Amino acid sequence: MSGFDDNPFGEPNLDNPFADPAIQQATRTTTNVQSSLEDYNPFEQEQSKPQLNINSTINSNAAVVQPLSQNLPPAQQRAPAPTASTSIQITTEELQRRQEELDRKAAELDRREQQLQGNVPQLNNWPPLPDNFCVKPCFYQDFNLEIPPEFQRLVKHLYYTWMFYTLTMCVNIIGGLAILLHTGDFTNFGLSIFYTLLFTPASYICWFRPAYKAFRNDSSFNFMVFFFVYFFQTLFSVFQAIGFPKSGYCGFIVAISQFKSSAADIVVGLFLLCIAFCFAVTAAANIMMITKIHSIYRSSGASMAKAQAEFATEFMRNQHVQEATATAVNSAINSQFNNRRY
């Protein structure tokens, strides 16, 4: 027997080691490789060389991937990739508008910087009236420029309180007109017009403007003026919310007195009741504002003595006071000189 026996677990034939099938397979492989190397000619034309069909390979891979993607649920299938041709187009008008806005902001910043340096006089801008109006603005008001950043929100809230009070006074005129048309009483309508024309500018000048200057200049004197006037303003707003008959204010008493049997009475009463609620909101806002501003004033270390010293300083800096003092001193000196001559 040559080579290995049929029994794989038997003893190998040591007489002929090359009869092993594994060695014979390796020998045949080596022979084929050598023959292929001997037959290889590097100078053959490129067209005779075997080429790999890339397109067929890609198509075959795509054919394999496509059924797999079709078998996936719709939530896991890939959405088509967005095209790269998306671009942002800005028109010439948009660019021009943005450039004009930037130029306007730059001019405003330059103007404010010059005002802070004292190079440009401040032009009055309140009340905001048209240029060709018969009355010109009387005050200069700019929260962002004149008020410190930590108090800007508080001063703006005080300004909004004044605006709401002014709006309530205007609506009170309409309430007086409703009473006039419904009952024929002219008292509330006439007094509402008078009070609106009187208290609207007076409230701005007497308590909002002192508060504005107090926060702008850290002025104790203006704080004192504000507290004094605003305290009575708060009490007066409570009086307006109550609404006594024939007082010119459509408060709760006047509104409740209009509720009678007819539908017109109920409609007028509901309208006047809304005005009374507006006066009540104004009174509540006044109480909140005076409490908050007083707490800030006390925390700053201000006192009545500081306010008196500031008043004396500002009083002596007044041009009219200086002129009157100079005139009085000159008159006294001249009188004394004339008395010594005679």
Side-chain angles (χ1 to χ4, degrees):
M1 182 182 295
S2 62
F4 290 98
D5 295 335
D6 295 334
N7 186 7
F9 300 99
E11 293 294 332
N13 190 0
L14 300 177
D15 296 337
N16 187 8
F18 294 100
D20 190 352
I23 297 176
Q24 291 179 1
Q25 180 66 28
T27 304
R28 285 195 298 270
T29 304
T30 305
T31 304
N32 293 332
V33 173
Q34 290 178 357
S35 62
S36 62
L37 290 175
E38 292 176 356
D39 296 337
Y40 173 72
N41 186 4
F43 298 100
E44 288 182 356
Q45 296 180 356
E46 293 180 0
Q47 61 184 0
S48 63
K49 295 180 181 179
Q51 297 180 357
L52 180 61
N53 192 354
I54 300 176
N55 295 329
S56 62
T57 305
I58 295 175
N59 293 332
S60 63
N61 293 333
V64 174
V65 174
Q66 184 175 2
L68 293 176
S69 62
Q70 291 178 355
N71 295 330
L72 293 175
Q76 296 182 1
Q77 292 182 2
R78 293 183 179 180
T83 58
S85 60
T86 305
S87 60
I88 301 175
Q89 297 180 356
I90 301 177
T91 60
T92 306
E93 292 78 6
E94 182 68 16
L95 290 175
Q96 185 176 3
R97 186 186 65 82
R98 293 183 180 182
Q99 183 65 32
E100 291 177 355
E101 184 177 357
L102 291 175
D103 293 341
R104 184 169 58 254
K105 290 182 178 180
E108 180 67 18
L109 290 176
D110 186 36
R111 183 184 65 82
R112 291 184 177 183
E113 183 179 0
Q114 292 180 358
Q115 287 180 354
L116 290 175
Q117 296 176 357
N119 298 329
V120 178
Q122 294 179 349
L123 300 178
N124 296 332
N125 59 357
W126 198 94
L129 300 174
D131 296 335
N132 55 355
F133 198 69
C134 57
V135 180
K136 298 299 180 181
C138 304
F139 305 97
Y140 179 81
Q141 179 175 296
D142 192 339
F143 298 101
N144 298 326
L145 180 63
E146 294 188 324
I147 305 300
E150 61 271 18
F151 301 129
Q152 289 180 4
R153 185 177 180 181
L154 180 62
V155 178
K156 287 181 180 180
H157 286 175
L158 185 63
Y159 180 67
Y160 297 151
T161 302
W162 175 83
M163 292 181 64
F164 184 79
Y165 173 73
T166 302
L167 181 63
T168 304
M169 293 293 290
C170 295
V171 178
N172 185 61
I173 297 177
I174 302 177
L177 180 62
I179 295 175
L180 174 63
L181 297 177
H182 183 63
T183 62
D185 188 4
F186 181 79
T187 305
N188 285 326
F189 179 65
L191 290 177
S192 63
I193 295 177
F194 174 74
Y195 290 151
T196 301
L197 296 178
L198 176 63
F199 292 136
T200 297
S203 59
Y204 180 87
I205 296 173
C206 295
W207 58 262
F208 173 75
R209 195 64 188 176
Y212 184 88
K213 293 189 293 184
F215 283 103
R216 182 188 63 185
N217 303 328
D218 190 17
S219 173
S220 297
F221 174 73
N222 285 293
F223 270 118
M224 290 298 176
V225 173
F226 165 76
F227 290 134
F228 179 78
V229 178
Y230 202 65
F231 174 75
F232 290 101
Q233 171 67 33
T234 304
L235 296 179
F236 190 66
S237 61
V238 175
F239 172 80
Q240 291 172 326
I242 295 174
F244 293 99
K246 297 184 182 298
S247 62
Y249 299 106
C250 302
F252 287 102
I253 296 178
V254 176
I256 294 174
S257 64
Q258 298 298 321
F259 285 98
K260 296 179 182 178
S261 58
S262 64
D265 295 335
I266 296 175
V267 172
V268 173
L270 290 175
F271 178 69
L272 298 182
L273 195 62
C274 293
I275 300 176
F277 275 113
C278 290
F279 279 120
V281 171
T282 303
N286 290 337
I287 295 173
M288 292 176 58
M289 293 305 300
I290 194 173
T291 303
K292 186 178 296 185
I293 295 176
H294 184 266
S295 63
I296 294 176
Y297 174 74
R298 298 301 299 174
S299 63
S300 63
S303 60
M304 181 64 71
K306 182 179 178 181
Q308 292 176 355
E310 183 180 348
F311 172 74
T313 304
E314 293 296 330
F315 182 78
M316 295 305 299
R317 287 180 181 178
N318 194 329
Q319 182 179 0
H320 300 287
V321 174
Q322 291 179 355
E323 292 178 355
T325 304
T327 303
V329 171
N330 291 331
S331 300
I333 293 175
N334 292 331
S335 62
Q336 290 291 335
F337 181 75
N338 293 331
N339 290 333
R340 290 182 178 180
R341 289 184 60 183
Y342 297 104

